[in-house]
Amino acid sequence: MIAAYIMKVVMVSVIFLMLGVGLRTAFGQVIAAARQVRLIGRGVLANFVVVPMLIYLSLVWLPLTSDVKIGIMLMAAAPIAPMAPPFVGMARGNVAFAVGLMTIVALLSVPLTPLILDLALPKSAEGVVLDSMQIIKTLLIAQLIPISVGMATRQLSPKWAEKLLRFVPKIGQFGLIVGVGLLLAKDTKQILSIGLLPHLVMALMVIGSLFIGDWMLIGETDDKRRSLAVSTAIRNVPLAFLIAGENFPDTVVAPVTLLFGVFTMVFSVAYGKLKDRQVSSKGSTA
């Protein structure tokens, strides 16, 4: 019963977060991003093909429990979180490119995330079967519709969009913190029981995602490489957590998505600082 209320809090929070993304994003930004076909194509390829495929192939051989693998695979199939642009900014990446890519990826997630999960998700030890239609419904309600409404509001009334931006994202962030905090308090024993290996695996996968994003834009400007690196690493924790809670209740799947999310944020910040040091060292030797 408590878990059901937590999931309702998370669902509403994700809706507000995605509405905030739409309110910040003009149709012109998405169109401008879409016109960068080569760059956006590489970003989509990195997030929907390269990272999920490499994580899936790694999980096949790793001695992890099936529910831990499910949690990690959910993160692999849910790319670019709504909180990615601020982390891109901290890494001094191209925020405008990140916002455009994130919005396009969010729209593509509706058909592609369920497809990836259908193809790659392991069977749960609890015998739970993934409901693809439920995932599509979740994506429509929690992601596609709020983003579309937000973008339409910004297009029709920029003043109202700015007013709503004063509190809509904050409500989403607060609700998500509450939901995550309640879950962590409820499932502390489960989180501690998964052992050291899953932590190490998730850390390496996040580092790998950073390098994949950076590598996919070799030859482009440094700010765009940083942008795609961080965007690729920051997987959509709220969405993966929501899918986990609705489809795999009372398992370690949801806590695993949260742990993965923590690693994405920590290593994305570290990546930004590392890149800054490299730029500073080059400047001092020039």
Side-chain angles (χ1 to χ4, degrees):
M1 192 69 176
I2 294 175
Y5 283 116
I6 293 174
M7 293 318 300
K8 287 180 180 178
V9 170
V10 173
M11 172 67 93
V12 173
S13 302
V14 173
I15 289 172
F16 272 86
L17 285 172
M18 292 299 176
L19 178 60
V21 170
L23 290 169
R24 289 192 189 95
T25 310
F27 283 112
Q29 282 180 284
V30 178
I31 292 170
R35 285 175 178 168
Q36 301 178 67
V37 177
R38 185 168 53 84
L39 299 184
I40 292 296
R42 290 186 190 181
V44 169
L45 190 66
N47 279 280
F48 283 116
V49 178
V50 180
V51 168
M53 184 179 293
L54 290 178
I55 288 179
Y56 170 73
L57 292 174
S58 300
L59 292 177
V60 169
W61 300 102
L62 287 168
L64 302 173
T65 66
S66 58
D67 286 347
V68 169
K69 289 182 178 182
I70 289 171
I72 293 173
M73 201 62 225
L74 283 177
M75 291 295 286
I80 310 187
M83 66 278 292
F87 283 89
V88 170
M90 282 189 280
R92 297 188 184 181
N94 189 314
V95 177
F97 175 72
V99 170
L101 176 63
M102 178 191 62
T103 307
I104 291 169
V105 165
L107 299 175
L108 291 175
S109 291
V110 177
L112 294 182
T113 293
L115 177 62
I116 293 169
L117 294 176
D118 275 339
L119 293 173
L121 205 66
K123 291 183 179 179
S124 171
E126 305 296 328
V128 181
V129 179
L130 186 72
D131 186 345
S132 296
M133 291 308 298
Q134 179 62 36
I135 292 176
I136 292 173
K137 180 182 175 183
T138 299
L139 286 162
L140 287 171
I141 294 173
Q143 188 154 296
L144 183 60
I145 293 174
I147 286 178
S148 300
V149 170
M151 290 176 66
T153 302
R154 184 170 186 85
Q155 184 70 22
L156 296 172
S157 180
K159 289 184 179 180
W160 267 105
E162 292 300 324
K163 289 179 180 179
L164 291 170
L165 277 171
R166 294 173 187 172
F167 62 88
V168 166
K170 293 178 181 178
I171 292 174
Q173 291 164 5
F174 176 76
L176 193 63
I177 290 170
V178 170
V180 169
L182 290 172
L183 181 83
L184 290 173
K186 173 178 169 292
D187 294 332
T188 301
K189 289 184 179 179
Q190 282 186 311
I191 293 170
L192 294 175
S193 70
I194 68 172
L196 179 62
L197 181 59
H199 290 76
L200 178 61
V201 168
M202 286 186 275
L204 291 174
M205 286 178 173
V206 173
I207 293 170
S209 297
L210 283 163
F211 280 104
I212 287 168
D214 193 313
W215 175 75
M216 290 292 286
L217 288 187
I218 282 180
E220 300 296 332
T221 57
D222 188 59
D223 65 326
K224 286 184 179 175
R225 290 181 63 179
R226 292 189 190 201
S227 180
L228 185 56
V230 173
S231 295
T232 302
I234 300 279
R235 314 306 283 179
N236 197 334
V237 184
L239 182 61
F241 175 64
L242 198 57
I243 294 172
E246 291 182 341
N247 290 270
F248 304 97
D250 303 317
T251 68
V252 298
V253 175
V256 166
T257 63
L258 293 180
L259 286 173
F260 199 115
V262 171
F263 282 118
T264 66
M265 291 182 278
V266 170
F267 283 105
S268 292
V269 171
Y271 166 84
K273 291 185 178 298
L274 177 64
K275 285 291 186 180
D276 277 343
R277 286 184 181 179
Q278 289 177 349
V279 172
S280 298
S281 63
K282 286 180 182 178
S284 61
T285 57

